[in-house]
Amino acid sequence: MTALPPSASADSEPSALSAGGLTASMQALLQSQFGGAPRPVTAPAPTPPAPEPQTGDEWPLAARTLIDSLIRENIRLKADIKALTEQVALAEHHADHDVLTPTLNRRAFLRDLGRAMGDGRRYGDPACLIYLDLDGFKAINDSYGHAAGDKALIHIAERLNANVREGDSVGRLGGDEFAILLRHADISVARSKAQKLEAELNIATFEHQGLYLRVGGSFGVRAYEGQASAEEWIAEADAAMFLVKKSSR
């Protein structure tokens, strides 16, 4: 056992504690045993609280203004794109359709004829053309005016559209002349369709100023047989129609 030095006896030990919480004698003992004074123990620093998530209220005013501007611009662009899409669709419709009747115009109908001819050459798909010239149309125009004539044309177009299949085409070639393209149909099917249409037009009426008027038609049928052009195919169907009209007089 190590003897305490005289200066460190219990009788002479001061009552006051040192800054580290130890008496002078305790510090001397520790120094003699371990070669140094104890280091003061420090408490760990408190952990700072986690930052609260931002709700947007803390964002700078400039950032919120920019975001609002981008949202408004996005809404405006969507509206512009929708309007432009509708305008393009309307322009395409006007480019392909007759200005008066719900049928294709001559240009678009010739395009469909060309496609059917191409399918016939490449794959052997049959197709037939029905050519229609109205009977009594001039008399309606002369007797009741052009408004009645327009109603007659619309009436005929609606009856033709109601009697064709999806994939067939109905076109107004000019004046009171219409044509029907029957895809995947041979000459017997086309002739049967023409007879049905002729019978329906002979009994169907349309109203004009309280009067119920009727307009008929003469039909010519021509199958695709390797004609050189769509115009040639139409001319052959027109000639067939003329023979029918001539024989019925």
Side-chain angles (χ1 to χ4, degrees), residues 50-65 67:
E52 296 183 0
Q54 292 185 341
T55 61
D57 295 336
E58 299 83 359
W59 291 357
L61 178 60
R64 294 201 302 271
T65 302
I67 292 173

Side-chain angles (χ1 to χ4, degrees), residues 25 46 66 73 120 130 143 179 191 235 240:
S25 60
L66 176 60
E73 182 67 11
I130 300 176
S143 300
R191 285 173 177 163

Side-chain angles (χ1 to χ4, degrees), residues 98-114:
D98 183 52
V99 295
L100 176 64
T101 65
T103 64
L104 296 177
N105 57 29
R106 186 182 185 94
R107 183 194 64 82
F109 189 78
L110 288 174
R111 178 199 61 203
D112 284 5
L113 285 184

Side-chain angles (χ1 to χ4, degrees), residues 200-243:
E200 180 168 339
L201 294 184
N202 284 334
I203 61 174
T205 60
F206 66 96
E207 187 274 336
H208 176 67
Q209 296 181 351
L211 301 175
Y212 290 89
L213 308 176
R214 181 183 298 110
V215 59
S218 298
F219 294 81
V221 180
R222 192 74 170 92
Y224 174 67
E225 297 174 341
Q227 287 85 348
S229 67
E231 291 287 1
E232 180 181 334
W233 194 4
I234 289 176
E236 292 180 1
D238 184 13
M241 179 277 302
F242 180 76
L243 292 176

